[in-house]
Amino acid sequence: MANVGSMKALVYHGPGQKAWENVPDATIREPTDVVVKVDTTTICGTDLHILHGDVPAVTDGRILGHEAVGTVTAVGDAVKGFSVGDRVLVPAITKCGRCEYCQRSMPSHCQTVGGIGWIFGHLIDGTQAESVRVPYADTSLYAVPANVTNEQAIFLADSLPTGYEVGVLAGKVRPGDTVAVVGAGAVGLSAILTTGLWGASRVIAIDTNKFRLDKARDFGATDTVEAGDNTAADVLALTGGVGVDVSIEAVGYPETLLTAASLVRPGGTIANIGVHGVPVSLPMQDMWIQNVTLTMGLVDTVSIPTLLKMVASGRIPAEKMGTHSFTFAQMDEAYDVFANAAENSALKVVITPA
Ligand SMILES: NC(=O)c1ccc[n+]([C@@H]2O[C@H](COP(=O)([O-])OP(=O)(O)OC[C@H]3O[C@@H](n4cnc5c(N)ncnc54)[C@H](O)[C@@H]3O)[C@@H](O)[C@H]2O)c1
Ligand SMILES: [Zn+2]
Ligand SMILES: [Zn+2]
């Protein structure tokens, strides 16, 4: 038997239960694997859903987390593109590069790694750990340019590509468009930040949280609307009664999708990003005659190379996402602050070894 060392990791033990504890070291299992020492990780809203017991595929003993920046410490025999010592971004989506979905640029549905591209902290052990095994390293990892810091790159693992791909690109934002974003969490703010890159003339942020609305202006929103009974009327007034060209949903509740749908002009696009847990009843009797498009999906993270270039050149200030920093030993505190984001004026937390 190989000598099994030990490392520390955040282990899920059923709904509401997690512990930063000793586990066997991450090791190479397949020739296409690498092992990455985690230098920076963060927490996603999805991790909170898992801890609420909403994702039954995550079982007792699973190491959580699907976002990391780190250093390669071991390389499988078949890996050609990465070497020990490389600084890499570990994205939320793992891809084989060869299956039918990978070849259609839809690695969110990579069939080879487990039937879905999101496997870290879900189907295999994740990134909230001292080290992580990364399958299909050559096609999944990204080298981090020297002038991009870990505190910037970490937000390209999930929230930035999600806001950009599932919001801005799916919504087909074009120069001059008016865009509404319902929900100004990390994902909604990522949509706001990257909407500007497509020349939107007006970006309207909608949230119940005033701190998040202030942040939204800092991320490029031209207008903010506090969510409430008058949301639709307020947004229509801002658009001369017409409605927005693109309405992005970044919360994940029936009422917020209905709000997003109520804001769009005839011929416009509703881009749903939110993860929904229950059915939503849409007013199709009103919508059919509006010629609107409704899009939805799991992020592919295929925009990461583009986003990395724009962070490197200063066009995307990704570091603005991080509001709080913690060490691995403070993992519980990091979760508490992130889970109570409103009262802590928190957006994303940055977690490092020490
Ligand atoms: N499609 C994908 O691939 C994908 C990937 C990652 C995250 N997501 C989903 O995107 C959504 C947003 O993620 P996040 O990390 O930004 O979450 P978050 O919880 O940080 O942000 C949600 C925001 O919505 C606001 N909000 C709550 N109720 C509201 C209401 N009634 N009206 C307006 N705003 C309201 C909150 O104040 C908060 O600012 C979640 O549903 C998440 O699961 C989807
Ligand atoms: Zn996530
Ligand atoms: Zn694949």
Side-chain angles (χ1 to χ4, degrees), residues 69 147-156 160 311-312 316-319:
V69 182
N147 60 344
V148 173
T149 66
N150 290 2
E151 292 71 23
Q152 294 175 312
I154 188 64
F155 303 120
L156 272 66
L160 266 160
V311 172
I316 296 182
E319 68 286 352

Side-chain angles (χ1 to χ4, degrees), residues 266-315:
T269 303
I270 306 152
N272 176 83
I273 308 177
V275 169
H276 289 267
V278 295
V280 186
S281 175
L282 287 171
M284 292 302 287
Q285 73 281 12
D286 300 326
M287 288 172 72
W288 77 268
I289 205 168
Q290 300 291 327
N291 299 57
V292 293
T293 302
L294 171 62
T295 65
M296 65 196 81
L298 173 63
V299 65
D300 287 303
T301 67
V302 292
S303 65
I304 286 176
T306 306
L307 294 171
L308 269 174
K309 274 193 250 176
M310 292 203 256
V311 172
S313 71
R315 288 294 297 276

Side-chain angles (χ1 to χ4, degrees), residues 309-341:
K309 274 193 250 176
M310 292 203 256
V311 172
S313 71
R315 288 294 297 276
I316 296 182
E319 68 286 352
K320 284 189 177 182
M321 289 284 171
T323 54
H324 292 69
S325 297
F326 298 95
T327 63
F328 281 164
Q330 299 170 309
M331 194 62 90
D332 278 340
E333 208 182 325
Y335 263 84
D336 286 345
V337 166
F338 184 69
N340 300 293

